[in-house]
Amino acid sequence: MTHARQHLTQVVAHRGASEDAPEHTLAAYRKAIEDGADALECDVRLTADGHLVCVHDRRVNRTSNGRGAVSAMELSDLAALDFGAWKTRGSAAGRMEEPDWEHRPEDREATSVLTLERLLELVADAGRRVELAIETKHPTRWAGQVEERLLLLLKRFGLDAPASPEESPVRVMSFSARSLHRVRAAAPTLPTVYLMQFVSPRLRDGRLPTGVRIAGPSIRIVRSHPGYIERLKQNGHQVHVWTVNDPRDVDLCLGLGVDAIITNRPRAVLDQLGR
């Protein structure tokens, strides 16, 4: 693989540098920026009082010391929880190296619930271009309000109407074609990514939902159907693959010319790319 090709492949930190620090926390995203990630990936959910927070699961049980559905909780309820204590050094048993991150209960902001607004502020203050890939989670009781609130927040940061999709530092991703349609209708120049766990029969020829120009297949799809990735590229689409942690999978993605590698290990992937 040529050095030039490697530099064309964007390295995206999946939920931050989530191998080393608790996913979706300020600690994880700070680490990803320090590690040199080209972009940050996050999932967003809407709280009961209308705030977008970076939480993957429908419920907070796995990643915090609390219980309950994000959509039924207010931001103040979530702010009272610790989203970092679960990922201690003990949880890294079996790893060759200890993680660089250490849980510090006194640093509340680092492991408190992260709002998308705070993440946007972090990116704005990064001192270099750091892109943001925002995934809307569906189904949810709030339906289209998620996209509505997202676009309002992006507008506050001047990110909702880029001159062209190519110039946008933000893209919106979803497994829901309806979610992406809502985004495109309201913000036509904001790039969208159609995420896939499997290849729909109607899209096997390399097409994507109307208006979408970026495919987001899982690494499992890439391993099983490399020809599909080639068809996507032949149709003029970018390909952003998740979640790529194994060095052999990184090589596979590079060989197929994928445009972005979404990984829990941004520093390791950057090292593999010689960056």
Side-chain angles (χ1 to χ4, degrees), residues 20 28 35 41 51 57 62 101 103-104 110 114 117 120 146 151 174 199 209 214 220 223 227 238 250 262:
D20 289 314
D35 285 349
E41 184 270 351
H51 294 274
D57 300 358
R62 177 177 65 87
W101 176 83
H103 182 238
R104 297 184 179 90
L114 180 65
E117 180 178 14
L120 285 163
V146 174
L151 292 172
S174 189
V199 183
I214 307 172
R220 184 177 298 179
R223 289 192 205 113
Q238 287 192 29
V250 173
I262 303 172

Side-chain angles (χ1 to χ4, degrees), residues 6-190:
Q6 290 176 358
H7 273 275
L8 291 173
T9 305
Q10 190 178 69
V11 177
V12 185
H14 183 244
R15 308 178 197 173
S18 55
E19 182 173 273
D20 289 314
E23 66 183 64
H24 283 130
T25 61
L26 203 58
Y29 289 111
R30 284 173 175 161
K31 180 74 168 62
I33 292 172
E34 291 169 8
D35 285 349
D38 301 307
L40 311 176
E41 184 270 351
C42 69
D43 305 292
V44 292
R45 291 185 178 276
L46 198 60
T47 66
D49 53 344
H51 294 274
L52 287 168
V53 292
C54 301
V55 180
H56 176 271
D57 300 358
R58 190 177 69 85
R59 301 175 65 83
V60 299
N61 304 29
R62 177 177 65 87
T63 56
S64 82
N65 59 348
R67 300 182 66 82
V70 175
S71 62
M73 303 171 76
E74 295 191 352
L75 182 59
S76 59
D77 301 323
L78 292 164
L81 303 178
D82 188 327
F83 281 80
W86 64 275
K87 193 178 180 75
T88 62
R89 287 183 182 273
S91 72
R95 284 187 48 176
M96 294 297 289
E97 301 176 7
E98 292 286 354
D100 293 337
W101 176 83
E102 183 176 356
H103 182 238
R104 297 184 179 90
E106 68 275 11
D107 187 359
R108 286 279 300 141
E109 188 188 32
T111 56
S112 181
V113 67
L114 180 65
T115 62
L116 180 59
E117 180 178 14
R118 181 68 185 91
L119 182 56
L120 285 163
E121 290 171 351
L122 181 71
V123 168
D125 294 337
R128 63 179 177 88
R129 182 182 174 96
V130 178
E131 297 188 5
L132 192 57
I134 303 170
E135 179 183 343
T136 61
K137 304 300 288 185
H138 288 280
T140 171
R141 68 166 68 180
W142 302 118
Q145 289 184 55
V146 174
E147 289 76 29
E148 183 180 335
R149 295 298 178 106
L150 171 58
L151 292 172
L152 282 172
L153 184 57
L154 291 179
K155 185 174 184 178
R156 281 179 45 199
F157 283 80
L159 297 170
D160 64 314
S164 69
E166 293 73 27
E167 294 176 49
S168 178
V170 174
R171 53 187 176 265
V172 179
M173 312 193 299
S174 189
F175 289 97
S176 167
R178 181 173 295 180
S179 171
L180 299 180
H181 176 75
R182 292 186 192 115
V183 170
R184 180 167 173 76
T189 57
L190 203 61

Side-chain angles (χ1 to χ4, degrees), residues 175-233:
F175 289 97
S176 167
R178 181 173 295 180
S179 171
L180 299 180
H181 176 75
R182 292 186 192 115
V183 170
R184 180 167 173 76
T189 57
L190 203 61
T192 51
V193 184
Y194 184 55
L195 297 172
M196 293 172 276
Q197 287 184 312
F198 58 90
V199 183
S200 166
R202 66 186 180 84
L203 298 178
R204 283 180 184 163
D205 60 358
R207 288 178 301 154
L208 293 176
T210 303
V212 178
R213 295 288 177 262
I214 307 172
S218 68
I219 186 60
R220 184 177 298 179
I221 291 174
V222 178
R223 289 192 205 113
S224 302
H225 306 288
Y228 173 64
I229 307 306
E230 294 169 356
R231 286 194 294 278
L232 286 167
K233 300 292 286 185

